[in-house]
Amino acid sequence: MDGQPSFSLGPSSLTEALYESVRKRIVNGEIAPGEKLTEIRIAGEYSVARPTAKACLERLTALGLLRRTTHKTAVVPKLDESEIRDLYFSRETVERAAVAALARTATVPPDAVRAQAAMKAAAGDMAFASQVEADIAFHSALVAAVGSRRLSRMHEVILGEVHLTMGQFQAHRTTHPMNVVHEHDDILKAIGDGDPERAQQRLTHHLDQAQGRLVSQLRREQTEEART
Amino acid sequence: MDGQPSFSLGPSSLTEALYESVRKRIVNGEIAPGEKLTEIRIAGEYSVARPTAKACLERLTALGLLRRTTHKTAVVPKLDESEIRDLYFSRETVERAAVAALARTATVPPDAVRAQAAMKAAAGDMAFASQVEADIAFHSALVAAVGSRRLSRMHEVILGEVHLTMGQFQAHRTTHPMNVVHEHDDILKAIGDGDPERAQQRLTHHLDQAQGRLVSQLRREQTEEART
DNA sequence: CCAGTATACTTGTCTGACGATTTGGCGACG
DNA sequence: CGTCGCCAAATCGTCAGACAAGTATACTGG
């Protein structure tokens, strides 16, 4: 019952709106990993032409949020352990550079502080999506504050995959969000103290933790489904 | 298991071929910065349909090799000084991580050595394009050897813009390519010695030099055209 | 000479279609 | 009975043509 796509706010164009919507559904885990997304299906669900749907899928594929090869239908990927490691290696590369740059001028991004507040607020209830959103927003703000268009662009792509992977584990969360909050605070403190070394070290620790959480969840899931 | 059984040397699809061709023309400077690329023009020149040309332009835009906003014609960008700095900041971020990783295992990429040989060979004559190609190939090999798909992808995008900018200065080259060759050798040596610190330091020095060369050429060009 | 409008150009999107490729099932053969 | 090859369906790649909407430019009037 979507009716007419008369929502002309936000995204200027139809393609943009379509892209945003599908992207959201993917990273939020509404579309399960492994699920097929044909051009025709998208075109049908949103009442758009197939070329429009095609453009959307191609964009998502370029960002790593979909996998597809020529003449095969796109599927939502499920990152295996080695890919999660690769993802976090690149993520660490980008974010280390970011926090180092910020610490050098002792610049604490206001947006990151705001995201921290939002995360603390969401830690109480079980608003998973909100927690993940706030986490993403925190790291995003960190990199954005550096002011490098290209660094931010790279980071955006990486965070997309991170979001996707986190979204797929939503149901099985196991860690207390306050741990994450404290790790974030450590990073901000090091930046505020103008200590690049410590900031990088804290960041690396935080990302190692996060990566570990994902990997262990992945493993648990695998043994679980092997038992069936 | 996943490898394409066919080594289709030519691009498998039409869009691919079109993209490759236009990309080459842009980074080689055949299409001057500021020049307009309309969908219709591309479609006409290559005898393809407009949607195909459109897809091509969109891909190039996503890679930063074209600039365009909604309902406006795509143009080949000319990076100004601040953008060159931004580009090299991101480049340094990625490549520093790469050489550090390689040095940690003292892995000297054979492809990088090969690219060095090619560069030395091209240093004699005035094959500019070849020199630039070899330079790009060297850095590309460096990052590829790390084995991180995502790092390589980010680097590919960055190198595209680097290639573009270098290509635009082709006519005015002023530096002896042997300088570059020696800087490259220093980096490889540090990697071979298993010394991440020195490798990173050599790399940073090299990139600073390269960036300086680009910026000074840009300035010279500007004062030159201001005199008219 | 400036401003405002009108026209031409370009892009965004849609409809519809045809060829090419992959996929999955079905029957034939060893 | 199992394996192989072939045919049909599904899906994608590409194309053509068309209309709407936005942008840039030129022209006209003040």
Side-chain angles (χ1 to χ4, degrees), chain B residues 34-76:
Chain B
E35 194 164 341
K36 287 191 192 174
L37 282 183
T38 75
E39 300 178 355
I40 296 175
R41 172 182 162 190
I42 299 295
E45 285 184 10
Y46 288 87
S47 307
V48 297
R50 188 162 75 91
T52 310
K54 179 189 185 63
C56 171
L57 295 187
E58 273 170 0
R59 252 175 100 174
L60 291 168
T61 303
L63 295 179
L65 265 37
L66 284 179
R67 298 271 165 88
R68 79 156 155 183
T69 57
T70 354
H71 286 284
K72 266 188 282 189
T73 315
V75 301
V76 179

Side-chain angles (χ1 to χ4, degrees), chain B residues 18-177:
Chain B
L18 180 63
Y19 162 72
E20 293 286 356
S21 175
V22 176
R23 180 198 158 93
K24 197 160 292 178
R25 282 176 61 188
I26 291 178
V27 298
N28 282 355
E30 286 178 44
I31 303 179
E35 194 164 341
K36 287 191 192 174
L37 282 183
T38 75
E39 300 178 355
I40 296 175
R41 172 182 162 190
I42 299 295
E45 285 184 10
Y46 288 87
S47 307
V48 297
R50 188 162 75 91
T52 310
K54 179 189 185 63
C56 171
L57 295 187
E58 273 170 0
R59 252 175 100 174
L60 291 168
T61 303
L63 295 179
L65 265 37
L66 284 179
R67 298 271 165 88
R68 79 156 155 183
T69 57
T70 354
H71 286 284
K72 266 188 282 189
T73 315
V75 301
V76 179
K78 183 177 186 63
L79 271 53
D80 62 20
E81 188 169 332
S82 78
E83 283 187 299
I84 289 180
R85 291 192 191 287
D86 188 61
L87 178 61
Y88 268 78
F89 171 69
S90 351
R91 183 180 180 182
E92 205 175 306
T93 298
V94 172
E95 295 198 11
R96 274 179 71 98
V99 297
L102 294 178
R104 248 174 258 125
T105 55
T107 310
V108 179
D111 285 348
V113 178
R114 264 191 287 279
Q116 275 289 80
M119 200 157 178
K120 275 173 205 152
D125 52 356
M126 39 204 51
F128 274 155
S130 306
Q131 286 171 20
V132 174
E133 298 275 351
D135 187 13
I136 298 283
F138 174 82
H139 289 273
S140 190
L142 231 46
V143 177
V146 178
S148 166
R149 278 229 331 271
R150 287 165 184 82
L151 198 73
S152 294
R153 243 191 66 68
M154 298 190 303
H155 191 238
E156 219 175 279
V157 177
I158 292 174
L159 276 194
E161 282 190 281
V162 170
H163 199 155
L164 169 70
T165 302
M166 286 182 163
Q168 292 176 354
F169 287 128
Q170 263 188 30
H172 321 252
R173 95 28 198 305
T174 174
T175 331
H176 298 277

Side-chain angles (χ1 to χ4, degrees), chain A residues 158-220:
Chain A
I158 291 174
L159 276 193
E161 282 190 280
V162 170
H163 200 155
L164 169 70
T165 303
M166 286 183 164
Q168 291 176 353
F169 288 128
Q170 263 188 30
H172 321 251
R173 93 31 195 303
T174 175
T175 330
H176 299 278
M178 284 317 280
N179 293 347
V180 176
V181 170
H182 290 143
E183 289 164 16
H184 284 185
D185 277 334
D186 284 348
I187 298 170
L188 288 185
K189 180 146 194 321
I191 292 175
D193 292 346
D195 187 340
E197 296 303 322
R198 203 173 90 241
Q200 289 193 340
Q201 184 245 312
R202 296 295 186 192
L203 176 80
T204 296
H205 174 255
H206 172 49
L207 292 186
D208 283 352
Q209 294 286 88
Q211 177 183 335
R213 288 190 278 266
L214 287 179
V215 169
S216 66
Q217 288 214 0
L218 180 67
R219 283 188 181 145
R220 185 171 325 140

Side-chain angles (χ1 to χ4, degrees), chain A:
Chain A
M1 303 312 103
D2 45 284
Q4 284 308 328
S6 51
F7 44 97
S8 60
L9 99 143
S12 47
S13 78
L14 190 103
T15 336
E16 201 66 23
L18 180 63
Y19 162 73
E20 293 288 355
S21 175
V22 176
R23 178 199 159 94
K24 196 160 293 179
R25 283 176 60 188
I26 291 178
V27 298
N28 281 356
E30 286 179 44
I31 304 180
E35 194 164 343
K36 287 192 194 174
L37 281 183
T38 75
E39 300 179 354
I40 298 174
R41 172 183 161 189
I42 298 295
E45 285 184 11
Y46 288 87
S47 309
V48 298
R50 189 162 72 94
T52 310
K54 179 190 184 64
C56 171
L57 295 186
E58 273 168 1
R59 253 175 99 174
L60 291 168
T61 303
L63 294 180
L65 265 37
L66 284 178
R67 297 271 165 90
R68 81 155 153 183
T69 58
T70 23
H71 286 283
K72 266 185 282 188
T73 76
V75 301
V76 179
K78 183 179 185 63
L79 271 53
D80 62 20
E81 187 170 332
S82 77
E83 283 188 298
I84 289 180
R85 292 192 190 286
D86 188 62
L87 177 61
Y88 268 77
F89 170 70
S90 349
R91 183 180 179 180
E92 204 175 307
T93 298
V94 171
E95 295 197 11
R96 274 179 70 96
V99 296
L102 293 178
R104 246 173 260 125
T105 56
T107 310
V108 180
D111 286 347
V113 177
R114 263 190 288 280
Q116 275 289 81
M119 200 157 180
K120 274 172 207 154
D125 52 356
M126 39 206 48
F128 275 155
S130 306
Q131 286 171 21
V132 174
E133 298 276 352
D135 187 14
I136 298 283
F138 174 81
H139 290 272
S140 191
L142 232 45
V143 176
V146 178
S148 165
R149 277 230 331 272
R150 287 165 183 83
L151 199 73
S152 293
R153 244 192 71 66
M154 298 190 304
H155 192 239
E156 217 176 279
V157 177
I158 291 174
L159 276 193
E161 282 190 280
V162 170
H163 200 155
L164 169 70
T165 303
M166 286 183 164
Q168 291 176 353
F169 288 128
Q170 263 188 30
H172 321 251
R173 93 31 195 303
T174 175
T175 330
H176 299 278
M178 284 317 280
N179 293 347
V180 176
V181 170
H182 290 143
E183 289 164 16
H184 284 185
D185 277 334
D186 284 348
I187 298 170
L188 288 185
K189 180 146 194 321
I191 292 175
D193 292 346
D195 187 340
E197 296 303 322
R198 203 173 90 241
Q200 289 193 340
Q201 184 245 312
R202 296 295 186 192
L203 176 80
T204 296
H205 174 255
H206 172 49
L207 292 186
D208 283 352
Q209 294 286 88
Q211 177 183 335
R213 288 190 278 266
L214 287 179
V215 169
S216 66
Q217 288 214 0
L218 180 67
R219 283 188 181 145
R220 185 171 325 140
E221 211 175 64
Q222 278 175 344
T223 62
E224 196 168 285
E225 79 186 15
R227 215 176 41 211
T228 57

